[in-house]
Amino acid sequence: MGTKSLVRSFRASSVFVYLLNLAVIINWTLYNPIYLNALIGSMTSVVTFVMLLIAMNGPKFLVQFLDNSRFEFLFTFRGRYCMDLFVSLFLYAMEIWGIIMATVTLGMIFGIRFAGVRHPDAFRILFRQSADFDDEGTVYTDAGDTYDGTYDG
């Protein structure tokens, strides 16, 4: 499978999962109209909707706003993982459909990570490195020689 088709399938599956998450969250909130449930539903809906827009790469003005502000961490794998984990933890409290979608959401993010190990080019297209990414602890070996830090050759 080519890199472009892999990236397209990752994005399509992410969009599909986020849409299902939104449906489950809105349904749970409407059938449990208690203040705390409405608050949790609102918070998780907003986070899921923002992650949906990021996965779709649109609308451009919102993506540019998020990219140029303090929310740029959402475009990294770590940021997406944290937001998906946040939503999944709340989904686990939303009856059987929430449990199913929380498991699917976590499975999706772990699946993207495991596929990213095998296809690093696709992973780099989907996510950018975080600003605090540091590889000084990485040790590279080449023909018996050991290099600390980055490898330039």
Side-chain angles (χ1 to χ4, degrees), residues 55-82:
M56 291 181 357
N57 272 342
K60 293 294 181 198
F61 71 90
L62 182 63
V63 171
Q64 287 175 349
F65 170 74
L66 292 173
D67 195 18
N68 294 328
S69 67
R70 64 181 176 198
F71 300 110
E72 65 185 339
F73 74 95
L74 294 173
F75 295 92
T76 65
F77 178 75
R78 185 181 302 164
R80 182 171 171 177
Y81 176 77
C82 288

Short mmCIF file of all heavy atoms in Angstrom, two decimals, residues 55-82:
data_model
loop_
_atom_site.label_atom_id
_atom_site.label_comp_id
_atom_site.label_asym_id
_atom_site.label_seq_id
_atom_site.Cartn_x
_atom_site.Cartn_y
_atom_site.Cartn_z
N ALA A 55 -8.69 16.35 11.60
CA ALA A 55 -8.54 15.15 10.77
C ALA A 55 -8.98 15.41 9.34
O ALA A 55 -8.43 14.83 8.40
CB ALA A 55 -9.33 13.99 11.37
N MET A 56 -9.96 16.28 9.14
CA MET A 56 -10.45 16.59 7.80
C MET A 56 -9.63 17.69 7.12
O MET A 56 -9.83 17.97 5.94
CB MET A 56 -11.92 17.05 7.86
CG MET A 56 -12.86 15.96 8.23
SD MET A 56 -14.62 16.41 8.29
CE MET A 56 -14.72 18.10 7.96
N ASN A 57 -8.74 18.35 7.87
CA ASN A 57 -7.96 19.48 7.35
C ASN A 57 -8.84 20.62 6.88
O ASN A 57 -8.60 21.23 5.84
CB ASN A 57 -7.03 19.05 6.22
CG ASN A 57 -5.71 18.58 6.72
OD1 ASN A 57 -5.34 18.86 7.86
ND2 ASN A 57 -4.99 17.85 5.89
N GLY A 58 -9.83 20.95 7.61
CA GLY A 58 -10.68 22.05 7.18
C GLY A 58 -11.57 22.51 8.31
O GLY A 58 -11.65 21.84 9.32
N PRO A 59 -12.20 23.61 8.23
CA PRO A 59 -11.99 24.71 7.30
C PRO A 59 -10.63 25.38 7.55
O PRO A 59 -10.11 25.35 8.65
CB PRO A 59 -13.14 25.67 7.59
CG PRO A 59 -13.58 25.36 8.97
CD PRO A 59 -13.24 23.91 9.21
N LYS A 60 -10.09 25.95 6.50
CA LYS A 60 -8.72 26.45 6.52
C LYS A 60 -8.49 27.51 7.60
O LYS A 60 -7.46 27.52 8.26
CB LYS A 60 -8.32 27.01 5.15
CG LYS A 60 -8.22 25.94 4.09
CD LYS A 60 -7.09 24.99 4.40
CE LYS A 60 -6.99 23.94 3.32
NZ LYS A 60 -6.23 22.79 3.72
N PHE A 61 -9.44 28.43 7.80
CA PHE A 61 -9.23 29.49 8.78
C PHE A 61 -9.12 28.93 10.20
O PHE A 61 -8.32 29.40 10.99
CB PHE A 61 -10.34 30.56 8.69
CG PHE A 61 -11.68 30.10 9.19
CD1 PHE A 61 -12.04 30.26 10.52
CD2 PHE A 61 -12.59 29.51 8.33
CE1 PHE A 61 -13.28 29.84 10.97
CE2 PHE A 61 -13.83 29.09 8.77
CZ PHE A 61 -14.18 29.24 10.11
N LEU A 62 -9.89 27.89 10.49
CA LEU A 62 -9.82 27.29 11.82
C LEU A 62 -8.52 26.49 12.00
O LEU A 62 -7.88 26.57 13.05
CB LEU A 62 -11.03 26.38 12.07
CG LEU A 62 -11.08 25.73 13.45
CD1 LEU A 62 -11.20 26.79 14.53
CD2 LEU A 62 -12.22 24.76 13.54
N VAL A 63 -8.13 25.77 10.97
CA VAL A 63 -6.88 25.01 11.05
C VAL A 63 -5.70 25.96 11.20
O VAL A 63 -4.78 25.71 11.99
CB VAL A 63 -6.72 24.10 9.82
CG1 VAL A 63 -5.35 23.47 9.77
CG2 VAL A 63 -7.80 23.02 9.81
N GLN A 64 -5.71 27.08 10.48
CA GLN A 64 -4.64 28.06 10.61
C GLN A 64 -4.64 28.70 11.99
O GLN A 64 -3.58 28.94 12.57
CB GLN A 64 -4.75 29.13 9.53
CG GLN A 64 -4.38 28.63 8.16
CD GLN A 64 -4.61 29.67 7.09
OE1 GLN A 64 -5.24 30.70 7.32
NE2 GLN A 64 -4.12 29.38 5.89
N PHE A 65 -5.81 28.98 12.54
CA PHE A 65 -5.89 29.55 13.88
C PHE A 65 -5.32 28.58 14.91
O PHE A 65 -4.54 28.96 15.78
CB PHE A 65 -7.34 29.90 14.24
CG PHE A 65 -7.51 30.27 15.69
CD1 PHE A 65 -7.07 31.50 16.15
CD2 PHE A 65 -8.09 29.38 16.59
CE1 PHE A 65 -7.21 31.84 17.50
CE2 PHE A 65 -8.24 29.71 17.92
CZ PHE A 65 -7.80 30.95 18.38
N LEU A 66 -5.71 27.32 14.82
CA LEU A 66 -5.21 26.32 15.77
C LEU A 66 -3.72 26.08 15.58
O LEU A 66 -3.00 25.81 16.54
CB LEU A 66 -5.97 25.01 15.60
CG LEU A 66 -7.43 25.03 16.01
CD1 LEU A 66 -8.10 23.72 15.63
CD2 LEU A 66 -7.58 25.30 17.49
N ASP A 67 -3.25 26.19 14.34
CA ASP A 67 -1.85 25.95 14.05
C ASP A 67 -0.96 27.09 14.53
O ASP A 67 0.20 26.87 14.86
CB ASP A 67 -1.68 25.74 12.54
CG ASP A 67 -0.35 25.13 12.20
OD1 ASP A 67 0.29 24.55 13.09
OD2 ASP A 67 0.05 25.21 11.03
N ASN A 68 -1.47 28.30 14.59
CA ASN A 68 -0.67 29.46 14.96
C ASN A 68 -0.89 29.90 16.40
O ASN A 68 -0.44 30.97 16.78
CB ASN A 68 -0.98 30.64 14.02
CG ASN A 68 -0.54 30.34 12.61
OD1 ASN A 68 0.43 29.62 12.40
ND2 ASN A 68 -1.26 30.87 11.64
N SER A 69 -1.58 29.12 17.17
CA SER A 69 -1.86 29.53 18.54
C SER A 69 -1.28 28.51 19.51
O SER A 69 -0.48 27.67 19.14
CB SER A 69 -3.37 29.65 18.74
OG SER A 69 -3.97 28.38 18.64
N ARG A 70 -1.72 28.59 20.72
CA ARG A 70 -1.22 27.65 21.74
C ARG A 70 -1.78 26.24 21.57
O ARG A 70 -1.44 25.35 22.32
CB ARG A 70 -1.55 28.19 23.12
CG ARG A 70 -3.02 28.26 23.38
CD ARG A 70 -3.32 28.81 24.74
NE ARG A 70 -4.76 28.93 24.86
CZ ARG A 70 -5.35 29.67 25.74
NH1 ARG A 70 -4.65 30.35 26.59
NH2 ARG A 70 -6.66 29.72 25.80
N PHE A 71 -2.63 26.04 20.57
CA PHE A 71 -3.22 24.73 20.33
C PHE A 71 -2.49 23.94 19.24
O PHE A 71 -3.00 22.93 18.77
CB PHE A 71 -4.70 24.87 19.93
CG PHE A 71 -5.52 25.55 20.98
CD1 PHE A 71 -6.01 26.82 20.77
CD2 PHE A 71 -5.78 24.91 22.17
CE1 PHE A 71 -6.76 27.45 21.73
CE2 PHE A 71 -6.54 25.54 23.14
CZ PHE A 71 -7.03 26.81 22.93
N GLU A 72 -1.31 24.38 18.82
CA GLU A 72 -0.61 23.69 17.75
C GLU A 72 -0.18 22.28 18.14
O GLU A 72 0.12 21.47 17.28
CB GLU A 72 0.59 24.51 17.28
CG GLU A 72 1.67 24.67 18.31
CD GLU A 72 2.77 25.59 17.82
OE1 GLU A 72 2.91 25.77 16.60
OE2 GLU A 72 3.48 26.13 18.67
N PHE A 73 -0.18 21.95 19.43
CA PHE A 73 0.16 20.59 19.86
C PHE A 73 -0.85 19.57 19.35
O PHE A 73 -0.56 18.38 19.30
CB PHE A 73 0.28 20.51 21.39
CG PHE A 73 -1.04 20.56 22.10
CD1 PHE A 73 -1.68 19.39 22.46
CD2 PHE A 73 -1.65 21.77 22.40
CE1 PHE A 73 -2.90 19.41 23.12
CE2 PHE A 73 -2.86 21.81 23.06
CZ PHE A 73 -3.49 20.63 23.41
N LEU A 74 -2.04 20.02 18.95
CA LEU A 74 -3.06 19.11 18.44
C LEU A 74 -2.65 18.45 17.13
O LEU A 74 -3.21 17.43 16.74
CB LEU A 74 -4.39 19.85 18.24
CG LEU A 74 -5.07 20.36 19.50
CD1 LEU A 74 -6.27 21.22 19.15
CD2 LEU A 74 -5.46 19.22 20.41
N PHE A 75 -1.66 19.02 16.46
CA PHE A 75 -1.21 18.47 15.19
C PHE A 75 -0.10 17.43 15.37
O PHE A 75 0.36 16.85 14.40
CB PHE A 75 -0.74 19.59 14.26
CG PHE A 75 -1.84 20.52 13.87
CD1 PHE A 75 -2.12 21.66 14.60
CD2 PHE A 75 -2.63 20.23 12.77
CE1 PHE A 75 -3.15 22.51 14.24
CE2 PHE A 75 -3.66 21.07 12.40
CZ PHE A 75 -3.93 22.21 13.13
N THR A 76 0.33 17.21 16.60
CA THR A 76 1.34 16.20 16.87
C THR A 76 0.66 14.91 17.31
O THR A 76 -0.52 14.91 17.70
CB THR A 76 2.30 16.65 17.99
OG1 THR A 76 1.58 16.78 19.21
CG2 THR A 76 2.96 17.98 17.64
N PHE A 77 1.40 13.82 17.25
CA PHE A 77 0.83 12.55 17.69
C PHE A 77 0.53 12.59 19.18
O PHE A 77 -0.51 12.11 19.63
CB PHE A 77 1.78 11.38 17.38
CG PHE A 77 1.24 10.07 17.86
CD1 PHE A 77 0.22 9.43 17.18
CD2 PHE A 77 1.74 9.47 19.01
CE1 PHE A 77 -0.30 8.23 17.63
CE2 PHE A 77 1.24 8.27 19.45
CZ PHE A 77 0.22 7.65 18.76
N ARG A 78 1.42 13.17 19.96
CA ARG A 78 1.22 13.24 21.41
C ARG A 78 -0.04 14.03 21.75
O ARG A 78 -0.82 13.64 22.62
CB ARG A 78 2.44 13.88 22.07
CG ARG A 78 2.35 13.86 23.58
CD ARG A 78 3.55 14.50 24.22
NE ARG A 78 4.76 13.81 23.79
CZ ARG A 78 5.97 14.30 23.92
NH1 ARG A 78 6.14 15.49 24.44
NH2 ARG A 78 7.02 13.62 23.53
N GLY A 79 -0.27 15.14 21.07
CA GLY A 79 -1.46 15.95 21.31
C GLY A 79 -2.73 15.21 20.93
O GLY A 79 -3.73 15.23 21.66
N ARG A 80 -2.70 14.56 19.79
CA ARG A 80 -3.87 13.80 19.37
C ARG A 80 -4.14 12.64 20.31
O ARG A 80 -5.29 12.35 20.66
CB ARG A 80 -3.68 13.30 17.95
CG ARG A 80 -4.87 12.55 17.44
CD ARG A 80 -4.73 12.26 15.99
NE ARG A 80 -5.78 11.37 15.55
CZ ARG A 80 -5.95 10.99 14.32
NH1 ARG A 80 -5.15 11.44 13.38
NH2 ARG A 80 -6.91 10.17 13.99
N TYR A 81 -3.09 11.97 20.72
CA TYR A 81 -3.24 10.85 21.65
C TYR A 81 -3.85 11.33 22.96
O TYR A 81 -4.76 10.68 23.49
CB TYR A 81 -1.88 10.19 21.90
CG TYR A 81 -1.93 9.10 22.92
CD1 TYR A 81 -2.43 7.86 22.59
CD2 TYR A 81 -1.48 9.31 24.23
CE1 TYR A 81 -2.49 6.84 23.52
CE2 TYR A 81 -1.54 8.31 25.16
CZ TYR A 81 -2.04 7.07 24.82
OH TYR A 81 -2.11 6.09 25.75
N CYS A 82 -3.38 12.46 23.48
CA CYS A 82 -3.93 12.98 24.75
C CYS A 82 -5.41 13.34 24.61
O CYS A 82 -6.22 13.03 25.49
CB CYS A 82 -3.14 14.20 25.19
SG CYS A 82 -1.50 13.82 25.80
#
